Amino acid sequence: AQSVAQPEDQVNVAEGNPLTVKCTYSVSGNPYLFWYVQYPNRGLQFLLKYITGDNLVKGSYGFEAEFNKSQTSFHLKKPSALVSDSALYFCAVRDLDSNYQLIWGAGTKLIIKP
Amino acid sequence: DGGITQSPKYLFRKEGQNVTLSCEQNLNHDAMYWYRQDPGQGLRLIYYSQIVNDFQKGDIAEGYSVSREKKESFPLTVTSAQKNPTAFYLCASRETGGGQPQHFGDGTRLSIL
C-alpha cells in the first residue's frame, strides 16, 4: 500500500537557525511529492513539488525540499527560519492506485522561537 | 483574482438537520475535492469530482452528499446521518494533469449546537 509519513508531530527551531521537516514515502512507482503549509484557521497553501529532474526543489517563501530516492524521503528545508514560518506543514504523495488522489501525511507543527 | 471561495466560514448544526457547505472556484479547474480535517489528524477525503455531473466517494463519504452541476461549484451537504460532523471542512480544486497541485479554500468550521 502506498503511504506517506511525517515522523515528527512538532519541530522547534530558534529563529535564524536552519529548519528541516521530515517526510518519508512508500509508493510502487515514480513518486509525485508535494509540500503544503497551513496557518491557523486557513486552507492549505502549496509550497513546492517534485515530479522529476533535479533532486533539490525550490519553492515559495524560501523553502526547498530534497528528494532522496534511496532513502524514500522528501524533507522540507529552509536555511534560516523566521517566526512567521510557524505553521502546520503537510507532505503528500500522489496515489497511483486511486485515480491520482493525494495521500496526506498527518502534519508537522513547526514552532519558530524568537 | 482567481481562487476558491468557501462559505460560510462558521456553521452550526442542530440535531437532525442537514447543512450545506458552499465551494466556488473561478480557476477553471476540472477537478474538485472535499476534505475533512480533525485536530491532530491529516486530511481525509470525503468526495471528489473530476468532471461536471460526475463524482466519486472518498474514504469517509458516509453521512455526506455532493453535487456537481456546474464546473465552478461543488457543494457539500452534511446530513443528519453524519453523527460526528464537528470538524474543519476544506474544499480544493486542481487542473487536469498528474503533477498539478491542489488549491484550497479557507475552510468552513462546522460545530454542533
Side-chain angles (χ1 to χ4, degrees):
Chain A
Q2 302 182 94
S3 64
V4 62
Q6 294 181 243
E8 301 154 319
D9 291 336
Q10 182 170 308
V11 172
N12 297 299
V13 177
E15 186 177 25
N17 282 2
L19 69 88
T20 299
V21 182
K22 295 180 180 177
C23 174
T24 59
Y25 65 89
S26 173
V27 298
S28 53
N30 292 323
Y32 284 17
L33 295 154
F34 302 83
W35 274 104
Y36 287 81
V37 60
Q38 185 182 31
Y39 297 99
N41 295 313
R42 300 294 301 273
L44 278 68
Q45 295 178 34
F46 168 69
L47 281 177
L48 50 80
K49 66 180 180 181
Y50 173 83
I51 305 299
T52 187
D54 194 350
N55 290 343
L56 186 64
V57 179
K58 293 190 183 298
S60 305
Y61 312 120
F63 284 93
E64 57 190 26
E66 186 170 10
F67 172 67
N68 188 316
K69 189 171 184 177
S70 63
Q71 297 186 5
T72 62
S73 67
F74 188 56
H75 300 334
L76 182 70
K77 300 182 179 184
K78 188 173 183 180
S80 179
L82 300 172
V83 172
S84 58
D85 292 330
S86 298
L88 190 58
Y89 290 80
F90 289 97
C91 180
V93 64
R94 189 184 70 171
D95 184 352
L96 300 175
D97 293 336
S98 181
N99 245 339
Y100 301 99
Q101 305 314 312
L102 291 180
I103 301 171
W104 294 89
T108 298
K109 186 175 184 180
L110 177 64
I111 298 176
I112 309 300
K113 299 183 177 180
Chain B
D1 284 339
I4 300 175
T5 301
Q6 290 188 242
S7 62
K9 193 167 180 63
Y10 299 95
L11 187 58
F12 298 91
R13 196 190 87 170
K14 296 179 182 178
E15 289 288 337
Q17 186 182 42
N18 294 351
V19 292
T20 297
L21 284 61
S22 170
C23 178
E24 302 278 334
Q25 55 102 356
N26 60 4
L27 299 167
N28 200 34
H29 289 171
D30 284 313
M32 296 187 75
Y33 307 81
W34 274 106
Y35 292 96
R36 171 178 172 143
Q37 186 178 23
D38 293 283
Q41 297 190 33
L43 277 65
R44 292 187 289 169
L45 184 64
I46 304 172
Y47 268 98
Y48 65 99
S49 167
Q50 297 194 326
I51 198 168
V52 174
N53 292 321
D54 188 43
F55 48 83
Q56 287 79 40
K57 293 181 179 180
D59 301 319
I60 56 165
E62 186 174 350
Y64 300 96
S65 66
V66 293
S67 62
R68 187 85 187 275
E69 296 176 2
K70 299 187 299 181
K71 188 174 186 178
E72 304 79 22
S73 179
F74 191 40
L76 173 74
T77 296
V78 184
T79 74
S80 56
Q82 173 50 246
K83 297 306 180 187
N84 183 24
T86 297
F88 192 48
Y89 290 87
L90 289 162
C91 179
S93 71
R94 190 178 72 90
E95 281 185 81
T96 305
Q100 296 300 324
Q102 294 182 13
H103 299 265
F104 285 80
D106 271 342
T108 293
R109 189 166 296 281
L110 177 61
S111 303
I112 294 283
L113 276 179

Short mmCIF file of all heavy atoms in Angstrom, two decimals, chain A residues 32 34 36 38 41-46 49 51 88 90 94 98-102 104-107, chain B residues 9 33 35 37 40-43 45 48 50 56 88 90 94 98-102 104-106 109:
data_model
loop_
_atom_site.label_atom_id
_atom_site.label_comp_id
_atom_site.label_asym_id
_atom_site.label_seq_id
_atom_site.Cartn_x
_atom_site.Cartn_y
_atom_site.Cartn_z
N TYR A 32 5.18 11.39 -7.12
CA TYR A 32 4.93 12.81 -7.26
C TYR A 32 4.71 13.32 -5.83
O TYR A 32 3.76 12.90 -5.18
CB TYR A 32 3.68 13.10 -8.09
CG TYR A 32 3.83 12.92 -9.59
CD1 TYR A 32 4.89 12.21 -10.14
CD2 TYR A 32 2.91 13.47 -10.46
CE1 TYR A 32 5.01 12.05 -11.51
CE2 TYR A 32 3.02 13.33 -11.83
CZ TYR A 32 4.08 12.61 -12.35
OH TYR A 32 4.19 12.46 -13.71
N PHE A 34 4.56 16.45 -2.76
CA PHE A 34 4.12 17.83 -2.56
C PHE A 34 4.32 18.22 -1.09
O PHE A 34 4.19 17.39 -0.19
CB PHE A 34 2.62 17.97 -2.89
CG PHE A 34 2.26 17.58 -4.30
CD1 PHE A 34 2.03 16.25 -4.61
CD2 PHE A 34 2.13 18.54 -5.29
CE1 PHE A 34 1.70 15.87 -5.90
CE2 PHE A 34 1.79 18.17 -6.59
CZ PHE A 34 1.57 16.84 -6.88
N TYR A 36 2.78 21.32 1.56
CA TYR A 36 1.82 22.38 1.78
C TYR A 36 2.03 22.95 3.18
O TYR A 36 2.49 22.26 4.08
CB TYR A 36 0.39 21.86 1.69
CG TYR A 36 -0.08 21.52 0.31
CD1 TYR A 36 0.25 20.30 -0.28
CD2 TYR A 36 -0.89 22.40 -0.41
CE1 TYR A 36 -0.19 19.98 -1.56
CE2 TYR A 36 -1.34 22.09 -1.68
CZ TYR A 36 -0.99 20.88 -2.25
OH TYR A 36 -1.43 20.55 -3.51
N GLN A 38 -0.10 25.21 6.31
CA GLN A 38 -1.41 25.67 6.78
C GLN A 38 -1.24 26.57 7.99
O GLN A 38 -0.68 26.14 9.02
CB GLN A 38 -2.31 24.49 7.13
CG GLN A 38 -3.73 24.90 7.52
CD GLN A 38 -4.60 23.73 7.90
OE1 GLN A 38 -4.14 22.73 8.43
NE2 GLN A 38 -5.90 23.84 7.62
N ASN A 41 -6.67 28.29 11.11
CA ASN A 41 -8.00 28.61 10.56
C ASN A 41 -7.95 29.05 9.09
O ASN A 41 -8.80 29.83 8.65
CB ASN A 41 -8.67 29.70 11.40
CG ASN A 41 -8.96 29.21 12.80
OD1 ASN A 41 -9.49 28.11 12.99
ND2 ASN A 41 -8.55 29.98 13.78
N ARG A 42 -6.99 28.55 8.36
CA ARG A 42 -6.86 28.84 6.94
C ARG A 42 -6.78 27.55 6.16
O ARG A 42 -6.57 26.46 6.71
CB ARG A 42 -5.61 29.68 6.66
CG ARG A 42 -5.56 31.03 7.37
CD ARG A 42 -6.65 31.97 6.88
NE ARG A 42 -6.57 32.24 5.46
CZ ARG A 42 -5.82 33.21 4.93
NH1 ARG A 42 -5.05 33.95 5.70
NH2 ARG A 42 -5.82 33.40 3.62
N GLY A 43 -6.92 27.66 4.84
CA GLY A 43 -6.72 26.50 3.98
C GLY A 43 -5.24 26.22 3.80
O GLY A 43 -4.38 26.94 4.30
N LEU A 44 -4.95 25.15 3.06
CA LEU A 44 -3.57 24.80 2.80
C LEU A 44 -3.04 25.61 1.62
O LEU A 44 -3.76 25.87 0.66
CB LEU A 44 -3.44 23.30 2.47
CG LEU A 44 -3.40 22.34 3.64
CD1 LEU A 44 -4.72 22.29 4.38
CD2 LEU A 44 -2.99 20.94 3.16
N GLN A 45 -1.75 25.98 1.73
CA GLN A 45 -1.10 26.68 0.62
C GLN A 45 0.00 25.79 0.06
O GLN A 45 0.80 25.24 0.81
CB GLN A 45 -0.47 27.99 1.11
CG GLN A 45 -1.46 29.01 1.61
CD GLN A 45 -0.74 30.25 2.11
OE1 GLN A 45 0.30 30.64 1.57
NE2 GLN A 45 -1.28 30.88 3.13
N PHE A 46 0.04 25.67 -1.24
CA PHE A 46 1.04 24.87 -1.92
C PHE A 46 2.41 25.54 -1.81
O PHE A 46 2.55 26.74 -2.07
CB PHE A 46 0.64 24.72 -3.39
CG PHE A 46 1.70 24.16 -4.28
CD1 PHE A 46 2.09 22.84 -4.16
CD2 PHE A 46 2.30 24.95 -5.24
CE1 PHE A 46 3.07 22.32 -4.98
CE2 PHE A 46 3.27 24.44 -6.08
CZ PHE A 46 3.66 23.13 -5.95
N LYS A 49 6.77 21.12 -5.21
CA LYS A 49 6.51 19.75 -5.63
C LYS A 49 7.74 19.17 -6.31
O LYS A 49 8.59 19.91 -6.85
CB LYS A 49 5.33 19.69 -6.60
CG LYS A 49 5.59 20.38 -7.93
CD LYS A 49 4.39 20.31 -8.86
CE LYS A 49 4.67 21.00 -10.19
NZ LYS A 49 3.50 20.97 -11.10
N ILE A 51 8.42 16.31 -9.25
CA ILE A 51 7.85 15.41 -10.25
C ILE A 51 8.98 14.57 -10.87
O ILE A 51 8.93 13.36 -10.89
CB ILE A 51 7.10 16.18 -11.35
CG1 ILE A 51 6.03 17.10 -10.73
CG2 ILE A 51 6.49 15.23 -12.37
CD1 ILE A 51 4.97 16.36 -9.95
N LEU A 88 1.54 24.70 10.38
CA LEU A 88 1.40 23.25 10.22
C LEU A 88 1.80 22.89 8.79
O LEU A 88 1.32 23.52 7.84
CB LEU A 88 -0.05 22.86 10.50
CG LEU A 88 -0.42 21.39 10.62
CD1 LEU A 88 0.40 20.71 11.72
CD2 LEU A 88 -1.92 21.27 10.93
N PHE A 90 2.30 19.96 5.76
CA PHE A 90 1.83 18.66 5.30
C PHE A 90 2.63 18.22 4.08
O PHE A 90 2.82 18.99 3.14
CB PHE A 90 0.35 18.71 4.90
CG PHE A 90 -0.60 18.85 6.04
CD1 PHE A 90 -1.09 20.09 6.41
CD2 PHE A 90 -1.00 17.73 6.76
CE1 PHE A 90 -1.98 20.22 7.47
CE2 PHE A 90 -1.88 17.85 7.82
CZ PHE A 90 -2.37 19.09 8.18
N ARG A 94 1.24 11.49 -4.56
CA ARG A 94 0.16 11.10 -5.46
C ARG A 94 -0.06 9.59 -5.36
O ARG A 94 0.88 8.81 -5.40
CB ARG A 94 0.49 11.49 -6.90
CG ARG A 94 -0.67 11.32 -7.86
CD ARG A 94 -0.24 11.64 -9.27
NE ARG A 94 0.65 10.62 -9.81
CZ ARG A 94 1.04 10.55 -11.07
NH1 ARG A 94 0.62 11.47 -11.93
NH2 ARG A 94 1.84 9.61 -11.48
N SER A 98 -5.37 5.10 -6.97
CA SER A 98 -6.69 5.65 -6.65
C SER A 98 -6.94 6.93 -7.41
O SER A 98 -7.13 7.98 -6.82
CB SER A 98 -6.79 5.90 -5.14
OG SER A 98 -8.07 6.41 -4.82
N ASN A 99 -6.95 6.82 -8.72
CA ASN A 99 -7.33 7.96 -9.55
C ASN A 99 -6.48 9.19 -9.29
O ASN A 99 -6.97 10.31 -9.39
CB ASN A 99 -8.79 8.32 -9.31
CG ASN A 99 -9.63 8.10 -10.55
OD1 ASN A 99 -9.13 8.05 -11.66
ND2 ASN A 99 -10.93 7.98 -10.35
N TYR A 100 -5.23 8.97 -8.92
CA TYR A 100 -4.28 10.07 -8.74
C TYR A 100 -4.68 11.02 -7.63
O TYR A 100 -4.37 12.20 -7.68
CB TYR A 100 -4.08 10.81 -10.06
CG TYR A 100 -3.56 9.91 -11.14
CD1 TYR A 100 -4.40 9.37 -12.10
CD2 TYR A 100 -2.22 9.56 -11.19
CE1 TYR A 100 -3.93 8.52 -13.07
CE2 TYR A 100 -1.73 8.71 -12.17
CZ TYR A 100 -2.59 8.20 -13.10
OH TYR A 100 -2.12 7.36 -14.08
N GLN A 101 -5.38 10.52 -6.61
CA GLN A 101 -5.63 11.35 -5.45
C GLN A 101 -4.34 11.49 -4.65
O GLN A 101 -3.36 10.81 -4.91
CB GLN A 101 -6.73 10.73 -4.58
CG GLN A 101 -8.02 10.46 -5.31
CD GLN A 101 -8.45 11.63 -6.16
OE1 GLN A 101 -8.47 12.78 -5.71
NE2 GLN A 101 -8.78 11.37 -7.41
N LEU A 102 -4.38 12.37 -3.66
CA LEU A 102 -3.20 12.58 -2.82
C LEU A 102 -3.35 11.79 -1.52
O LEU A 102 -4.41 11.74 -0.93
CB LEU A 102 -3.02 14.06 -2.50
CG LEU A 102 -2.60 14.95 -3.66
CD1 LEU A 102 -2.45 16.39 -3.19
CD2 LEU A 102 -1.29 14.47 -4.27
N TRP A 104 -2.06 11.93 2.23
CA TRP A 104 -1.54 13.00 3.07
C TRP A 104 -0.84 12.46 4.32
O TRP A 104 -1.30 11.50 4.94
CB TRP A 104 -2.69 13.91 3.52
CG TRP A 104 -3.33 14.64 2.39
CD1 TRP A 104 -4.38 14.23 1.62
CD2 TRP A 104 -2.96 15.93 1.89
NE1 TRP A 104 -4.68 15.17 0.67
CE2 TRP A 104 -3.83 16.23 0.81
CE3 TRP A 104 -1.98 16.87 2.25
CZ2 TRP A 104 -3.75 17.42 0.10
CZ3 TRP A 104 -1.91 18.06 1.54
CH2 TRP A 104 -2.78 18.32 0.48
N GLY A 105 0.25 13.12 4.68
CA GLY A 105 0.84 12.88 5.98
C GLY A 105 -0.02 13.52 7.06
O GLY A 105 -0.93 14.30 6.77
N ALA A 106 0.28 13.19 8.31
CA ALA A 106 -0.53 13.68 9.44
C ALA A 106 -0.22 15.13 9.79
O ALA A 106 -0.94 15.73 10.59
CB ALA A 106 -0.32 12.79 10.65
N GLY A 107 0.84 15.66 9.24
CA GLY A 107 1.20 17.04 9.52
C GLY A 107 2.25 17.17 10.61
O GLY A 107 2.31 16.35 11.53
N LYS B 9 -17.92 30.74 6.77
CA LYS B 9 -16.67 30.42 7.46
C LYS B 9 -16.95 29.58 8.70
O LYS B 9 -16.17 28.69 9.06
CB LYS B 9 -15.93 31.70 7.84
CG LYS B 9 -14.50 31.46 8.27
CD LYS B 9 -13.73 32.76 8.34
CE LYS B 9 -12.29 32.52 8.78
NZ LYS B 9 -11.54 31.68 7.80
N TYR B 33 -12.48 18.79 -4.84
CA TYR B 33 -12.35 17.85 -3.73
C TYR B 33 -12.96 18.44 -2.46
O TYR B 33 -12.91 19.64 -2.24
CB TYR B 33 -10.87 17.56 -3.44
CG TYR B 33 -10.07 17.12 -4.63
CD1 TYR B 33 -9.58 18.06 -5.54
CD2 TYR B 33 -9.78 15.78 -4.85
CE1 TYR B 33 -8.84 17.67 -6.64
CE2 TYR B 33 -9.03 15.38 -5.95
CZ TYR B 33 -8.58 16.33 -6.84
OH TYR B 33 -7.83 15.93 -7.93
N TYR B 35 -12.44 17.74 1.73
CA TYR B 35 -11.71 17.08 2.79
C TYR B 35 -12.29 17.45 4.14
O TYR B 35 -12.82 18.54 4.33
CB TYR B 35 -10.23 17.52 2.80
CG TYR B 35 -9.42 17.07 1.63
CD1 TYR B 35 -9.22 17.91 0.54
CD2 TYR B 35 -8.81 15.82 1.62
CE1 TYR B 35 -8.44 17.50 -0.54
CE2 TYR B 35 -8.02 15.41 0.55
CZ TYR B 35 -7.85 16.26 -0.52
OH TYR B 35 -7.06 15.86 -1.57
N GLN B 37 -10.94 17.82 8.14
CA GLN B 37 -9.74 17.89 8.97
C GLN B 37 -10.16 17.94 10.44
O GLN B 37 -10.88 18.83 10.86
CB GLN B 37 -8.90 19.13 8.61
CG GLN B 37 -7.58 19.17 9.35
CD GLN B 37 -6.74 20.38 8.96
OE1 GLN B 37 -7.24 21.39 8.49
NE2 GLN B 37 -5.42 20.26 9.12
N GLY B 40 -5.23 17.32 15.12
CA GLY B 40 -4.19 16.31 15.25
C GLY B 40 -4.19 15.26 14.16
O GLY B 40 -3.42 14.30 14.23
N GLN B 41 -5.05 15.42 13.18
CA GLN B 41 -5.10 14.46 12.09
C GLN B 41 -4.85 15.17 10.77
O GLN B 41 -4.99 16.37 10.64
CB GLN B 41 -6.46 13.76 12.04
CG GLN B 41 -6.76 12.94 13.27
CD GLN B 41 -8.00 12.08 13.08
OE1 GLN B 41 -8.28 11.61 11.98
NE2 GLN B 41 -8.73 11.84 14.15
N GLY B 42 -4.48 14.37 9.79
CA GLY B 42 -4.30 14.92 8.46
C GLY B 42 -5.63 15.09 7.77
O GLY B 42 -6.69 15.07 8.40
N LEU B 43 -5.58 15.27 6.48
CA LEU B 43 -6.79 15.47 5.69
C LEU B 43 -7.38 14.12 5.28
O LEU B 43 -6.64 13.22 4.86
CB LEU B 43 -6.47 16.29 4.44
CG LEU B 43 -6.42 17.80 4.60
CD1 LEU B 43 -5.28 18.22 5.51
CD2 LEU B 43 -6.29 18.48 3.26
N LEU B 45 -10.29 12.44 2.72
CA LEU B 45 -11.07 12.75 1.53
C LEU B 45 -12.51 12.28 1.69
O LEU B 45 -12.76 11.10 1.98
CB LEU B 45 -10.41 12.09 0.31
CG LEU B 45 -11.04 12.37 -1.05
CD1 LEU B 45 -10.93 13.85 -1.40
CD2 LEU B 45 -10.37 11.51 -2.12
N TYR B 48 -14.83 13.50 -4.31
CA TYR B 48 -14.14 14.26 -5.33
C TYR B 48 -14.88 14.15 -6.64
O TYR B 48 -15.65 13.22 -6.87
CB TYR B 48 -12.68 13.84 -5.47
CG TYR B 48 -12.45 12.43 -5.94
CD1 TYR B 48 -12.16 12.16 -7.28
CD2 TYR B 48 -12.48 11.37 -5.05
CE1 TYR B 48 -11.93 10.87 -7.71
CE2 TYR B 48 -12.25 10.07 -5.47
CZ TYR B 48 -11.97 9.82 -6.79
OH TYR B 48 -11.75 8.53 -7.23
N GLN B 50 -14.13 14.83 -10.91
CA GLN B 50 -13.13 15.13 -11.93
C GLN B 50 -13.74 15.82 -13.14
O GLN B 50 -13.01 16.30 -14.01
CB GLN B 50 -12.41 13.86 -12.35
CG GLN B 50 -11.64 13.25 -11.18
CD GLN B 50 -10.65 12.19 -11.60
OE1 GLN B 50 -10.90 11.46 -12.54
NE2 GLN B 50 -9.55 12.11 -10.91
N GLN B 56 -17.10 10.93 -7.15
CA GLN B 56 -16.80 9.64 -6.54
C GLN B 56 -16.64 9.79 -5.04
O GLN B 56 -16.21 10.84 -4.55
CB GLN B 56 -15.50 9.04 -7.12
CG GLN B 56 -15.61 8.52 -8.52
CD GLN B 56 -15.56 9.63 -9.55
OE1 GLN B 56 -14.79 10.56 -9.40
NE2 GLN B 56 -16.38 9.53 -10.59
N PHE B 88 -13.29 20.76 10.60
CA PHE B 88 -12.93 21.82 9.67
C PHE B 88 -12.99 21.20 8.27
O PHE B 88 -12.35 20.18 8.02
CB PHE B 88 -11.51 22.31 9.99
CG PHE B 88 -11.10 23.57 9.30
CD1 PHE B 88 -11.92 24.69 9.29
CD2 PHE B 88 -9.86 23.67 8.69
CE1 PHE B 88 -11.51 25.87 8.68
CE2 PHE B 88 -9.45 24.84 8.07
CZ PHE B 88 -10.28 25.94 8.07
N LEU B 90 -12.53 21.43 4.19
CA LEU B 90 -11.72 22.11 3.18
C LEU B 90 -12.11 21.66 1.78
O LEU B 90 -12.24 20.47 1.52
CB LEU B 90 -10.24 21.83 3.41
CG LEU B 90 -9.63 22.51 4.64
CD1 LEU B 90 -8.33 21.85 5.03
CD2 LEU B 90 -9.41 23.99 4.35
N ARG B 94 -8.18 21.45 -8.76
CA ARG B 94 -6.91 21.13 -9.42
C ARG B 94 -7.10 21.12 -10.93
O ARG B 94 -8.14 20.67 -11.44
CB ARG B 94 -6.43 19.77 -8.96
CG ARG B 94 -5.03 19.40 -9.37
CD ARG B 94 -4.67 18.04 -8.79
NE ARG B 94 -5.36 16.95 -9.45
CZ ARG B 94 -4.92 16.29 -10.51
NH1 ARG B 94 -3.77 16.63 -11.06
NH2 ARG B 94 -5.61 15.31 -11.04
N GLY B 98 -1.25 15.05 -13.99
CA GLY B 98 -0.86 14.34 -12.79
C GLY B 98 -0.02 15.14 -11.82
O GLY B 98 -0.08 14.93 -10.63
N GLY B 99 0.77 16.09 -12.31
CA GLY B 99 1.66 16.81 -11.43
C GLY B 99 1.11 18.12 -10.93
O GLY B 99 1.80 18.86 -10.21
N GLN B 100 -0.12 18.44 -11.25
CA GLN B 100 -0.67 19.73 -10.83
C GLN B 100 -1.06 19.70 -9.36
O GLN B 100 -1.68 18.73 -8.89
CB GLN B 100 -1.90 20.08 -11.68
CG GLN B 100 -1.59 20.28 -13.14
CD GLN B 100 -0.59 21.40 -13.35
OE1 GLN B 100 -0.60 22.40 -12.64
NE2 GLN B 100 0.28 21.23 -14.33
N PRO B 101 -0.73 20.74 -8.60
CA PRO B 101 -1.09 20.77 -7.17
C PRO B 101 -2.57 21.11 -6.98
O PRO B 101 -3.20 21.70 -7.85
CB PRO B 101 -0.21 21.88 -6.62
CG PRO B 101 -0.03 22.81 -7.77
CD PRO B 101 0.01 21.94 -9.00
N GLN B 102 -3.07 20.76 -5.82
CA GLN B 102 -4.41 21.17 -5.44
C GLN B 102 -4.34 22.57 -4.82
O GLN B 102 -3.39 22.91 -4.12
CB GLN B 102 -5.02 20.17 -4.44
CG GLN B 102 -5.25 18.80 -5.06
CD GLN B 102 -5.88 17.82 -4.10
OE1 GLN B 102 -6.37 18.20 -3.03
NE2 GLN B 102 -5.90 16.55 -4.47
N PHE B 104 -6.52 25.28 -2.39
CA PHE B 104 -7.50 25.16 -1.32
C PHE B 104 -8.23 26.47 -1.03
O PHE B 104 -7.65 27.56 -1.15
CB PHE B 104 -6.82 24.70 -0.02
CG PHE B 104 -6.46 23.25 -0.03
CD1 PHE B 104 -5.33 22.80 -0.68
CD2 PHE B 104 -7.28 22.32 0.61
CE1 PHE B 104 -4.99 21.45 -0.69
CE2 PHE B 104 -6.95 20.97 0.61
CZ PHE B 104 -5.82 20.54 -0.05
N GLY B 105 -9.48 26.32 -0.59
CA GLY B 105 -10.20 27.42 0.01
C GLY B 105 -9.80 27.58 1.47
O GLY B 105 -8.98 26.81 1.99
N ASP B 106 -10.41 28.54 2.15
CA ASP B 106 -10.05 28.83 3.54
C ASP B 106 -10.89 28.08 4.56
O ASP B 106 -10.79 28.35 5.76
CB ASP B 106 -10.11 30.33 3.80
CG ASP B 106 -8.78 31.00 3.49
OD1 ASP B 106 -7.75 30.29 3.42
OD2 ASP B 106 -8.76 32.23 3.32
N ARG B 109 -15.75 25.90 9.29
CA ARG B 109 -15.71 25.18 10.56
C ARG B 109 -17.15 24.88 10.99
O ARG B 109 -17.94 25.81 11.20
CB ARG B 109 -14.99 26.00 11.62
CG ARG B 109 -14.72 25.20 12.90
CD ARG B 109 -13.73 25.90 13.81
NE ARG B 109 -12.41 26.04 13.21
CZ ARG B 109 -11.49 25.09 13.14
NH1 ARG B 109 -11.75 23.88 13.63
NH2 ARG B 109 -10.32 25.34 12.62
#
